[in-house]
Amino acid sequence: MAADERDEELAGVLTAVGPRLRALRQQRGVTLAQLSETTGISLSTLSRLESGQRRPTLELLLPLAKAHRVPLDELVGAPETGDPRIRPRPFVRHGNTYIPLTRNLGGVQAYKLILPPLDGPPPERELRTHEGYEWLYVLSGRVRLLLGEHDLVLGPGEAAEFDTRVPHVFFNAGPQTAEFLSMFGPQGERIHVRAKPTARPQEGNPA
């Protein structure tokens, strides 16, 4: 791997730390003030870490990993030592964290997306179009999807499927972190859901 590629990979890992720290803290229901008291890290430093304005260092990450009760390598998204599996690195786009779940360059690609909570009005983002077909399933929080003339808010357990040639954009619709799974077929592949057929009643036993 070339030096430029290593630098780019490292930058991507460090950029994803902030949203991960925020998501962990909010999942545990801990405020920045409480975390500051537990770790001894100043409130302003914690806030800058979560927003990506402060570069994470080992001295900062060690007490945070202890406070959140997670291994350090999980906090930064590093692969386990000696693990031969290739794990795609998270990356951040428009403030949202993308965690690739597939490695294939063609066919259906899967991602887990983490959307930070909104501190104010929704961001100004243009609706976009591209070739393909997308399916998303909300795991937690609320996701707002602008799709053509439709303005939808999806909650946990709700899903949407649409042609990406229709103008669309999504963002967090609430004050809590939102997470959802996304499956995208660049050639327009749709998601096929196969339901298990209902077992036929045995002879003599009414349905």
Side-chain angles (χ1 to χ4, degrees):
M1 181 183 295
D4 291 343
E5 293 178 346
R6 288 196 298 269
D7 292 343
E8 184 178 352
E9 182 181 22
L10 177 60
V13 171
L14 295 179
T15 301
V17 170
R20 187 178 291 108
L21 287 172
R22 177 178 291 172
L24 281 171
R25 178 177 60 80
Q26 292 176 339
Q27 288 171 4
R28 297 180 60 239
V30 177
T31 65
L32 280 173
Q34 292 171 329
L35 187 59
S36 175
E37 183 177 351
T38 301
T39 60
I41 302 173
S42 70
L43 193 64
S44 61
T45 297
L46 290 174
S47 178
R48 291 169 61 199
L49 273 174
E50 291 189 359
S51 64
Q53 298 177 5
R54 173 69 182 267
R55 187 183 180 92
T57 63
L58 188 60
E59 290 76 11
L60 295 173
L61 292 177
L62 282 174
L64 287 170
K66 182 178 180 180
H68 291 311
R69 300 177 183 177
V70 297
L72 182 61
D73 56 356
E74 180 178 330
L75 196 62
V76 299
E80 299 177 9
T81 302
D83 190 341
R85 293 172 293 180
I86 298 176
R87 299 185 180 182
R89 298 288 189 176
F91 59 92
V92 177
R93 182 178 298 166
H94 301 301
N96 303 323
T97 300
Y98 289 70
I99 304 175
L101 303 178
T102 53
R103 291 283 294 180
N104 56 307
L105 298 178
V108 176
Q109 302 172 26
Y111 298 87
K112 178 180 178 181
L113 278 80
I114 303 175
L115 312 184
L118 286 179
D119 296 327
E124 293 291 336
R125 290 178 53 191
E126 295 183 0
L127 277 69
R128 61 192 182 97
T129 62
H130 52 87
E131 291 293 328
Y133 214 86
E134 184 166 353
W135 176 90
L136 62 87
Y137 177 86
V138 179
L139 298 171
S140 63
R142 298 166 68 232
V143 177
R144 185 178 178 187
L145 173 65
L146 302 183
L147 179 64
E149 299 179 351
H150 301 284
D151 187 345
L152 309 171
V153 176
L154 306 176
E158 292 187 298
E161 186 178 8
F162 56 92
D163 188 327
T164 54
R165 291 174 295 182
V166 178
H168 63 281
V169 69
F170 57 81
F171 44 84
N172 198 328
Q176 303 296 326
T177 299
E179 299 185 3
F180 68 89
L181 298 177
S182 171
M183 298 184 71
F184 169 70
Q187 304 302 323
E189 296 94 337
R190 299 189 61 170
I191 304 301
H192 299 283
V193 179
R194 177 177 297 178
K196 183 178 180 180
T198 303
R200 295 181 179 179
Q202 296 180 359
E203 186 176 352
N205 294 330

PDB file of all heavy atoms in Angstrom, residues 31-49:
ATOM      1  N   THR A  31     -24.647  12.125  29.394  1.00  0.00           N
ATOM      2  CA  THR A  31     -24.423  13.473  28.880  1.00  0.00           C
ATOM      3  C   THR A  31     -22.928  13.743  28.763  1.00  0.00           C
ATOM      4  O   THR A  31     -22.096  13.029  29.345  1.00  0.00           O
ATOM      5  CB  THR A  31     -25.048  14.526  29.806  1.00  0.00           C
ATOM      6  OG1 THR A  31     -24.363  14.505  31.066  1.00  0.00           O
ATOM      7  CG2 THR A  31     -26.530  14.234  30.032  1.00  0.00           C
ATOM      8  N   LEU A  32     -22.586  14.778  28.011  1.00  0.00           N
ATOM      9  CA  LEU A  32     -21.186  15.166  27.889  1.00  0.00           C
ATOM     10  C   LEU A  32     -20.605  15.551  29.246  1.00  0.00           C
ATOM     11  O   LEU A  32     -19.442  15.254  29.545  1.00  0.00           O
ATOM     12  CB  LEU A  32     -21.047  16.335  26.905  1.00  0.00           C
ATOM     13  CG  LEU A  32     -21.072  15.994  25.415  1.00  0.00           C
ATOM     14  CD1 LEU A  32     -21.094  17.265  24.586  1.00  0.00           C
ATOM     15  CD2 LEU A  32     -19.877  15.127  25.041  1.00  0.00           C
ATOM     16  N   ALA A  33     -21.416  16.215  30.071  1.00  0.00           N
ATOM     17  CA  ALA A  33     -20.947  16.619  31.400  1.00  0.00           C
ATOM     18  C   ALA A  33     -20.631  15.397  32.263  1.00  0.00           C
ATOM     19  O   ALA A  33     -19.613  15.364  32.972  1.00  0.00           O
ATOM     20  CB  ALA A  33     -21.993  17.503  32.079  1.00  0.00           C
ATOM     21  N   GLN A  34     -21.486  14.384  32.214  1.00  0.00           N
ATOM     22  CA  GLN A  34     -21.250  13.165  32.996  1.00  0.00           C
ATOM     23  C   GLN A  34     -20.011  12.434  32.504  1.00  0.00           C
ATOM     24  O   GLN A  34     -19.211  11.938  33.296  1.00  0.00           O
ATOM     25  CB  GLN A  34     -22.474  12.254  32.907  1.00  0.00           C
ATOM     26  CG  GLN A  34     -23.707  12.802  33.613  1.00  0.00           C
ATOM     27  CD  GLN A  34     -24.952  11.987  33.325  1.00  0.00           C
ATOM     28  OE1 GLN A  34     -25.102  11.409  32.236  1.00  0.00           O
ATOM     29  NE2 GLN A  34     -25.869  11.941  34.282  1.00  0.00           N
ATOM     30  N   LEU A  35     -19.836  12.374  31.181  1.00  0.00           N
ATOM     31  CA  LEU A  35     -18.671  11.705  30.618  1.00  0.00           C
ATOM     32  C   LEU A  35     -17.396  12.469  30.963  1.00  0.00           C
ATOM     33  O   LEU A  35     -16.348  11.854  31.223  1.00  0.00           O
ATOM     34  CB  LEU A  35     -18.828  11.596  29.100  1.00  0.00           C
ATOM     35  CG  LEU A  35     -17.770  10.765  28.367  1.00  0.00           C
ATOM     36  CD1 LEU A  35     -17.748   9.332  28.884  1.00  0.00           C
ATOM     37  CD2 LEU A  35     -18.034  10.779  26.871  1.00  0.00           C
ATOM     38  N   SER A  36     -17.475  13.780  30.992  1.00  0.00           N
ATOM     39  CA  SER A  36     -16.322  14.600  31.363  1.00  0.00           C
ATOM     40  C   SER A  36     -15.905  14.319  32.797  1.00  0.00           C
ATOM     41  O   SER A  36     -14.715  14.207  33.108  1.00  0.00           O
ATOM     42  CB  SER A  36     -16.662  16.082  31.188  1.00  0.00           C
ATOM     43  OG  SER A  36     -15.600  16.895  31.641  1.00  0.00           O
ATOM     44  N   GLU A  37     -16.887  14.187  33.681  1.00  0.00           N
ATOM     45  CA  GLU A  37     -16.589  13.902  35.089  1.00  0.00           C
ATOM     46  C   GLU A  37     -15.972  12.512  35.255  1.00  0.00           C
ATOM     47  O   GLU A  37     -15.069  12.312  36.068  1.00  0.00           O
ATOM     48  CB  GLU A  37     -17.870  14.010  35.910  1.00  0.00           C
ATOM     49  CG  GLU A  37     -17.662  13.812  37.399  1.00  0.00           C
ATOM     50  CD  GLU A  37     -18.950  14.007  38.188  1.00  0.00           C
ATOM     51  OE1 GLU A  37     -19.951  14.451  37.595  1.00  0.00           O
ATOM     52  OE2 GLU A  37     -18.947  13.704  39.398  1.00  0.00           O
ATOM     53  N   THR A  38     -16.445  11.543  34.464  1.00  0.00           N
ATOM     54  CA  THR A  38     -15.950  10.170  34.563  1.00  0.00           C
ATOM     55  C   THR A  38     -14.533  10.032  34.026  1.00  0.00           C
ATOM     56  O   THR A  38     -13.699   9.333  34.607  1.00  0.00           O
ATOM     57  CB  THR A  38     -16.883   9.210  33.789  1.00  0.00           C
ATOM     58  OG1 THR A  38     -18.192   9.298  34.314  1.00  0.00           O
ATOM     59  CG2 THR A  38     -16.385   7.769  33.893  1.00  0.00           C
ATOM     60  N   THR A  39     -14.245  10.693  32.916  1.00  0.00           N
ATOM     61  CA  THR A  39     -12.959  10.510  32.226  1.00  0.00           C
ATOM     62  C   THR A  39     -11.905  11.545  32.603  1.00  0.00           C
ATOM     63  O   THR A  39     -10.717  11.336  32.370  1.00  0.00           O
ATOM     64  CB  THR A  39     -13.153  10.552  30.707  1.00  0.00           C
ATOM     65  OG1 THR A  39     -13.696  11.830  30.345  1.00  0.00           O
ATOM     66  CG2 THR A  39     -14.108   9.452  30.261  1.00  0.00           C
ATOM     67  N   GLY A  40     -12.352  12.683  33.132  1.00  0.00           N
ATOM     68  CA  GLY A  40     -11.408  13.757  33.414  1.00  0.00           C
ATOM     69  C   GLY A  40     -11.055  14.574  32.184  1.00  0.00           C
ATOM     70  O   GLY A  40     -10.174  15.435  32.225  1.00  0.00           O
ATOM     71  N   ILE A  41     -11.745  14.326  31.071  1.00  0.00           N
ATOM     72  CA  ILE A  41     -11.527  15.078  29.836  1.00  0.00           C
ATOM     73  C   ILE A  41     -12.490  16.262  29.821  1.00  0.00           C
ATOM     74  O   ILE A  41     -13.666  16.118  30.155  1.00  0.00           O
ATOM     75  CB  ILE A  41     -11.762  14.187  28.601  1.00  0.00           C
ATOM     76  CG1 ILE A  41     -10.825  12.973  28.636  1.00  0.00           C
ATOM     77  CG2 ILE A  41     -11.544  14.972  27.321  1.00  0.00           C
ATOM     78  CD1 ILE A  41     -11.111  11.952  27.540  1.00  0.00           C
ATOM     79  N   SER A  42     -11.995  17.424  29.447  1.00  0.00           N
ATOM     80  CA  SER A  42     -12.821  18.632  29.491  1.00  0.00           C
ATOM     81  C   SER A  42     -14.033  18.510  28.578  1.00  0.00           C
ATOM     82  O   SER A  42     -14.014  17.786  27.577  1.00  0.00           O
ATOM     83  CB  SER A  42     -12.000  19.863  29.106  1.00  0.00           C
ATOM     84  OG  SER A  42     -11.683  19.843  27.727  1.00  0.00           O
ATOM     85  N   LEU A  43     -15.080  19.245  28.939  1.00  0.00           N
ATOM     86  CA  LEU A  43     -16.329  19.224  28.174  1.00  0.00           C
ATOM     87  C   LEU A  43     -16.091  19.696  26.735  1.00  0.00           C
ATOM     88  O   LEU A  43     -16.614  19.114  25.782  1.00  0.00           O
ATOM     89  CB  LEU A  43     -17.364  20.113  28.864  1.00  0.00           C
ATOM     90  CG  LEU A  43     -18.821  19.995  28.409  1.00  0.00           C
ATOM     91  CD1 LEU A  43     -19.358  18.620  28.718  1.00  0.00           C
ATOM     92  CD2 LEU A  43     -19.674  21.058  29.095  1.00  0.00           C
ATOM     93  N   SER A  44     -15.296  20.740  26.571  1.00  0.00           N
ATOM     94  CA  SER A  44     -15.043  21.277  25.233  1.00  0.00           C
ATOM     95  C   SER A  44     -14.272  20.281  24.374  1.00  0.00           C
ATOM     96  O   SER A  44     -14.541  20.142  23.170  1.00  0.00           O
ATOM     97  CB  SER A  44     -14.268  22.591  25.325  1.00  0.00           C
ATOM     98  OG  SER A  44     -13.002  22.394  25.943  1.00  0.00           O
ATOM     99  N   THR A  45     -13.314  19.553  24.981  1.00  0.00           N
ATOM    100  CA  THR A  45     -12.545  18.559  24.228  1.00  0.00           C
ATOM    101  C   THR A  45     -13.444  17.417  23.769  1.00  0.00           C
ATOM    102  O   THR A  45     -13.361  16.962  22.618  1.00  0.00           O
ATOM    103  CB  THR A  45     -11.392  17.999  25.074  1.00  0.00           C
ATOM    104  OG1 THR A  45     -10.489  19.067  25.395  1.00  0.00           O
ATOM    105  CG2 THR A  45     -10.630  16.916  24.330  1.00  0.00           C
ATOM    106  N   LEU A  46     -14.337  16.951  24.641  1.00  0.00           N
ATOM    107  CA  LEU A  46     -15.267  15.879  24.276  1.00  0.00           C
ATOM    108  C   LEU A  46     -16.179  16.318  23.144  1.00  0.00           C
ATOM    109  O   LEU A  46     -16.437  15.558  22.197  1.00  0.00           O
ATOM    110  CB  LEU A  46     -16.096  15.468  25.493  1.00  0.00           C
ATOM    111  CG  LEU A  46     -15.358  14.723  26.603  1.00  0.00           C
ATOM    112  CD1 LEU A  46     -16.275  14.524  27.800  1.00  0.00           C
ATOM    113  CD2 LEU A  46     -14.840  13.380  26.108  1.00  0.00           C
ATOM    114  N   SER A  47     -16.676  17.548  23.237  1.00  0.00           N
ATOM    115  CA  SER A  47     -17.565  18.061  22.202  1.00  0.00           C
ATOM    116  C   SER A  47     -16.844  18.153  20.865  1.00  0.00           C
ATOM    117  O   SER A  47     -17.395  17.784  19.813  1.00  0.00           O
ATOM    118  CB  SER A  47     -18.092  19.441  22.610  1.00  0.00           C
ATOM    119  OG  SER A  47     -18.929  19.975  21.604  1.00  0.00           O
ATOM    120  N   ARG A  48     -15.604  18.609  20.876  1.00  0.00           N
ATOM    121  CA  ARG A  48     -14.831  18.738  19.637  1.00  0.00           C
ATOM    122  C   ARG A  48     -14.466  17.363  19.072  1.00  0.00           C
ATOM    123  O   ARG A  48     -14.398  17.181  17.855  1.00  0.00           O
ATOM    124  CB  ARG A  48     -13.581  19.573  19.899  1.00  0.00           C
ATOM    125  CG  ARG A  48     -13.881  21.040  20.176  1.00  0.00           C
ATOM    126  CD  ARG A  48     -12.655  21.762  20.690  1.00  0.00           C
ATOM    127  NE  ARG A  48     -11.566  21.718  19.699  1.00  0.00           N
ATOM    128  CZ  ARG A  48     -10.297  21.927  20.005  1.00  0.00           C
ATOM    129  NH1 ARG A  48      -9.944  22.155  21.268  1.00  0.00           N
ATOM    130  NH2 ARG A  48      -9.374  21.892  19.069  1.00  0.00           N
ATOM    131  N   LEU A  49     -14.230  16.389  19.952  1.00  0.00           N
ATOM    132  CA  LEU A  49     -13.947  15.030  19.494  1.00  0.00           C
ATOM    133  C   LEU A  49     -15.147  14.465  18.740  1.00  0.00           C
ATOM    134  O   LEU A  49     -15.012  13.894  17.659  1.00  0.00           O
ATOM    135  CB  LEU A  49     -13.609  14.124  20.680  1.00  0.00           C
ATOM    136  CG  LEU A  49     -12.169  14.065  21.156  1.00  0.00           C
ATOM    137  CD1 LEU A  49     -12.074  13.230  22.427  1.00  0.00           C
ATOM    138  CD2 LEU A  49     -11.257  13.489  20.080  1.00  0.00           C
TER     139      LEU A  49
END
